[in-house]
Each structure stands twice: as structure tokens, then as C-alpha cells.
Amino acid sequence: MIDVGVRQRRTQVGIVGSGPAGLLLARLLDRAGIDCVVLEQRDRGYVEARIRAGVLEQGTVNTLRAADVSDRLESAGLSHNGINLSLNGERRHIDLKALTGGKVVTVYGQTEVTRDLIAANLSAGVDILFEATDVDAQNLDTDQPTLTYTHAGQHYHLTCDFVAGCDGYHGVCRTCIPSGKINEYERAYPFA
Ligand SMILES: Cc1cc2nc3c(=O)[nH]c(=O)nc-3n(C[C@H](O)[C@H](O)[C@H](O)COP(=O)(O)OP(=O)(O)OC[C@H]3O[C@@H](n4cnc5c(N)ncnc54)[C@H](O)[C@@H]3O)c2cc1C
């Protein structure tokens, strides 16, 4: 049963979405002493089992290390120093590590990254609300943006200093940003 009253909450940063972006942001903010709340529409099991990325670039690995969530990554991740390109019966090795001054690609599933980040955030006391539904963002162009949502049958009104829309291209936050306030950045390479 839903309690018709709306409960008021307050946080510094309201984060929508517990994918890698939202979870890593929450981790970095928490370590910087900044209070945040993560709202995720799916349940924890679904988020932790969602198959997506399989390889991590060096910058991602460095960031996970800096956020102190890399223990399992260090022990279970597979380092790839290069690739082989085959053309017209000839195989050529591309030594990525030598060509980039030591950068490698690490094979470590996004499911594992997600599990590591959820565990680290929860054990640090970060508030991740799974199965938060009807998430909506208001007043995004003011200094008191708000998130409204339903959790465990209760409606909430979360006042924030900042809202971080980490809910992906098809999420709700993008549609809440006032028109003319979105800058899109894209780099198109002349090859594929
Ligand atoms: C098949 C596949 C393979 C890939 N392989 C690689 C790879 O090898 N290497 C690599 O670096 N990248 C890869 N990617 C890309 C990588 O998966 C994405 O860049 C990454 O998932 C983006 O993370 P994110 O947190 O921004 O968004 P997402 O992972 O999409 O997370 C968004 C979160 O927001 C939640 N959400 C959405 N709407 C709402 C709402 N209304 N209310 C509350 N919560 C909401 C979603 O449930 C989700 O948990 C791959 C992607 C796919 C699909």
C-alpha cells in the first residue's frame, strides 16, 4: 500500500542510475566527503547481472585504482598488450603497449566492475536505492534541483545541490533538461 504523504529528503548530489557512471561517481563523491543518493529503477540482482562491456581501457583501470575498487580487478583481470591483424594471408602483431608508452587493455567484465562498485559503496554507507520508480527531475536550472521518486511504496521529494543524470541515453534525466541547455560532443573519425 502506498502512503499518500510525500517524504522530504536532502542530499548534496542526487544521482540517477546505478550503472558504472553513477556508481563510480558515488564512490568518488563519498571519498571526497560529499553526500549523495543513488536512485536505480532496477533491482540489485538485475544490475549486477547485466552483461555489457568486456574490456576496460587504461584510463578506466587507472580511475578504478584511484577510487580503491580494484582489488578483484588486479587479481582476475587479464591484461592484453596487443592484437593481431590479419589481411591477405599475413598476420601482423600490433604492440599496443609499446606503441602507447605502456597502456594495455584489461579484460574484466562490466558485471564485475558493477559488483565491485556496489559492494564498495554500500560498505561505505552510500545510499543506493534499488527499485526506485517514477523517478523525475525538476528545477534543474535552479540551485535547488529536485528528484521525486517512489521507493518501497513511499513517495519522496529529494532536494539536491546537484543532480547527476547517469541513467543513459534513454533515461529520464535527458528529457528533463531545459531545451537549449544540452551541449553534445561527438568525434567522427574518417575511417571505421
Ligand atoms: C553489448 C555491449 C558491449 C559493450 N562493450 C564495451 C566494452 O567492451 N568496453 C567498454 O568500455 N564499453 C562497452 N560497452 C559500453 C558500456 O557498457 C557503456 O558505456 C556503459 O554501460 C555506460 O554506463 P552508464 O553508467 O553511463 O550507463 P548504463 O550502464 O546504461 O546505466 C544506466 C543506469 O540507469 C538506470 N536507469 C535508466 N533509466 C532510469 C530511470 N528512469 N530511473 C532510475 N534509473 C534508471 C539503468 O537501469 C542503469 O542501471 C558495451 C555496451 C554494450 C551494450
Side-chain angles (χ1 to χ4, degrees), residues 68-123:
D68 196 19
V69 277
S70 63
D71 285 356
R72 288 204 314 134
L73 167 64
E74 308 289 3
S75 60
L78 301 173
S79 205
H80 270 223
N81 297 344
I83 55 172
N84 292 320
L85 291 182
S86 298
L87 185 66
N88 295 334
E90 186 191 343
R91 186 165 68 183
R92 179 165 298 195
H93 183 67
I94 309 295
D95 190 340
L96 296 176
K97 189 173 184 180
L99 290 167
T100 60
K103 295 176 185 169
V104 298
V105 186
T106 302
V107 180
Y108 189 69
Q110 182 168 326
T111 45
E112 306 311 311
V113 173
T114 306
R115 281 175 201 157
D116 295 345
L117 284 166
I118 288 175
N121 275 315
L122 291 179
S123 73

Side-chain angles (χ1 to χ4, degrees), residues 15 19 22-23 32 37-39 45 73 75 86 90-91 114-115 127 132 135 147 151 161 174:
I15 300 172
L23 291 169
V37 174
V38 183
L39 304 179
L73 167 64
S75 60
S86 298
E90 186 191 343
R91 186 165 68 183
T114 306
R115 281 175 201 157
D127 207 0
V135 175
L147 290 169
H151 188 248
D161 294 333
R174 191 179 179 81

Side-chain angles (χ1 to χ4, degrees), residues 15-24 39-43 46-47 50-57 60 108 110 114 129-130 132-136 165-173:
I15 300 172
V16 184
S18 74
L23 291 169
L24 181 56
L39 304 179
E40 167 59 49
Q41 67 180 359
R42 302 286 193 169
D43 62 55
Y46 182 96
V47 172
R50 187 168 41 202
I51 302 288
R52 283 192 177 163
V55 298
L56 306 176
E57 293 179 29
T60 303
Y108 189 69
Q110 182 168 326
T114 306
L129 301 178
F130 294 102
T133 57
D134 309 320
V135 175
D136 197 11
C166 300
D167 49 346
Y169 188 82
H170 300 290
V172 67
C173 288

